[in-house]
Amino acid sequence: MDKGKLYIVATPIGNLKDFTYRATEILSNVDIIACEDTRVTSKLLNSYGINTKTISYHKFSEKQRSEILLKYLLEGKNVALVSDAGTPLISDPGSILIEEVKKSGINVIPIPGACAAVTALSAIVNDGIFAFLGFFPQKISEIEKLKNYINDFDLIFYESPNRIIKTLEILRELFGEIRVSIARELTKIYEDINTFSISQMINYLQRTTLKGEITLIIHKNNEKKEDFEFLSSATKLLNDGFSAKDTAKILSLLFGLPKNEIYKKIVENNKKNIV
Ligand code: SAM
């Protein structure tokens, strides 16, 4: 009897329309879908009219569920693995299943789609040289190890909104005024993507409702580009009809920098743009 195939299917990270034709086809045609949380995945399946049977597969049941799924595959059934959102295995379960399945010579087929880390990077100035390090470490000894990478790579982390300000304060303490980006609620209604110096970011976040999902990017230590990003916020406000004086006032409140210093930068930048 032919063995089945295991499809690793990426799902949207917010906007349900970010789902490929191929992914919907595969999920409609497999015999069973292994989901982190069947209730979460059922919303996606319902919106695409997919009626395939689901089974839960989460980090606490990986070993035991892998055995059941392997049995299905050996019986010739096709299985798809999905996470609650994004690409399976990227800070999500699935590795144990793939290990077991590969040992039995079963085909593992990736079906690409959304991933928060890559989506964030695609809208932030970077040179494509980065290190994705999963969830931000909790232990200070682990955080200190980042000094080994921070000069060479942009570092990408997943972080919770409850911890983000504390995390930025620790990073400032260890690495000084580095540049960071935060991509919040990607692909959703309140999507917000910014790059600032770490103090500017802390000020900004303290004045924002801190909810939703966050991807944090710590930029290489050797790059100093905060003026570029800062001036992009100023330009947005000027385009919205604020005067240079009011723009300076707003940004001074937002980033805790002296108003006249900001005003000077705005005027200088404006002169450059006119020329
Ligand atoms: N496998 C997923 C992927 O491919 O992106 C990531 C799963 S991980 C358990 C969930 C974390 O990803 C969240 O806590 C958050 O840090 C980040 N994340 C997920 N969706 C996001 C979004 N829409 N905007 C920003 N970050 C997001």
Side-chain angles (χ1 to χ4, degrees):
M1 192 203 304
D2 281 346
K3 292 170 187 164
K5 291 188 180 91
L6 173 64
Y7 296 93
I8 308 294
V9 183
T11 55
I13 54 168
N15 190 324
L16 291 187
K17 290 184 183 161
D18 293 331
F19 203 36
T20 66
Y21 287 119
R22 188 169 173 224
T24 53
E25 207 173 79
I26 299 282
L27 292 188
S28 302
N29 293 333
V30 290
D31 296 288
I32 190 151
I33 305 172
C35 323
E36 242 190 308
D37 183 336
T38 51
R39 287 160 305 180
V40 173
T41 302
S42 72
K43 284 186 203 144
L44 175 71
L45 299 182
N46 289 342
S47 75
Y48 280 92
I50 298 169
N51 302 313
T52 310
K53 194 173 140 198
T54 58
I55 179 177
S56 76
Y57 177 93
H58 48 70
K59 62 179 173 191
F60 304 109
S61 67
E62 270 201 272
K63 187 94 192 112
Q64 179 239 350
R65 286 295 150 109
S66 293
E67 284 165 21
I68 297 173
L69 293 170
L70 180 60
K71 213 166 135 248
Y72 282 128
L73 289 158
L74 291 172
E75 284 167 4
K77 296 198 171 84
N78 291 321
V79 174
L81 173 72
V82 298
S83 311
D84 284 352
T87 302
L89 277 88
I90 308 300
S91 296
D92 267 336
S95 194
I96 294 178
L97 176 64
I98 294 190
E99 191 179 354
E100 291 306 314
V101 159
K102 286 210 161 172
K103 278 187 214 154
S104 303
I106 288 163
N107 248 352
V108 178
I109 303 165
I111 309 295
C115 170
V118 177
T119 307
L121 273 176
S122 71
I124 288 167
V125 177
N126 75 91
D127 61 3
I129 314 276
F130 62 88
F132 171 69
L133 298 174
F135 279 100
F136 194 83
Q138 302 286 302
K139 290 192 191 141
I140 267 295
S141 57
E142 292 295 310
I143 302 172
E144 277 170 350
K145 282 190 199 153
L146 301 181
K147 68 174 183 302
N148 299 326
Y149 312 103
I150 205 163
N151 287 326
D152 301 319
F153 304 102
D154 286 338
L155 306 179
I156 324 296
F157 294 97
Y158 292 150
E159 181 53 307
S160 101
N162 303 329
R163 275 195 307 261
I164 187 68
I165 291 186
K166 185 88 212 132
T167 294
L168 293 176
E169 283 169 351
I170 294 171
L171 286 170
R172 183 171 56 185
E173 187 85 18
L174 289 174
F175 304 115
E177 267 315 328
I178 48 175
R179 227 164 40 96
V180 292
S181 295
I182 286 188
R184 202 173 58 89
E185 293 288 83
L186 287 164
T187 78
K188 304 184 200 174
I189 298 172
Y190 296 108
E191 180 177 85
D192 189 30
I193 308 169
N194 290 297
T195 305
F196 297 130
S197 76
I198 211 155
S199 291
Q200 288 171 352
M201 188 62 87
I202 291 171
N203 268 298
Y204 174 72
L205 294 179
Q206 280 167 341
R207 286 161 177 77
T208 322
T209 331
L210 253 184
K211 279 204 229 135
E213 299 193 279
I214 286 180
T215 296
L216 165 68
I217 291 119
I218 303 172
H219 291 281
K220 292 184 197 50
N221 211 1
N222 52 13
E223 289 182 346
K224 292 262 172 273
K225 286 187 179 167
E226 57 263 42
D227 271 4
F228 157 75
E229 295 291 344
F230 175 79
L231 288 168
S232 109
S233 303
T235 309
K236 273 188 217 157
L237 287 168
L238 292 170
N239 288 346
D240 281 348
F242 288 94
S243 67
K245 221 167 137 192
D246 286 341
T247 299
K249 215 187 276 177
I250 294 167
L251 293 181
S252 148
L253 283 173
L254 213 52
F255 300 118
L257 294 172
K259 206 165 47 188
N260 43 0
E261 209 177 279
I262 299 177
Y263 182 78
K264 233 168 85 191
K265 275 187 186 179
I266 294 173
V267 172
E268 272 166 22
N269 189 51
N270 255 2
K271 268 191 215 149
K272 261 190 256 160
N273 286 344
I274 291 163
V275 176

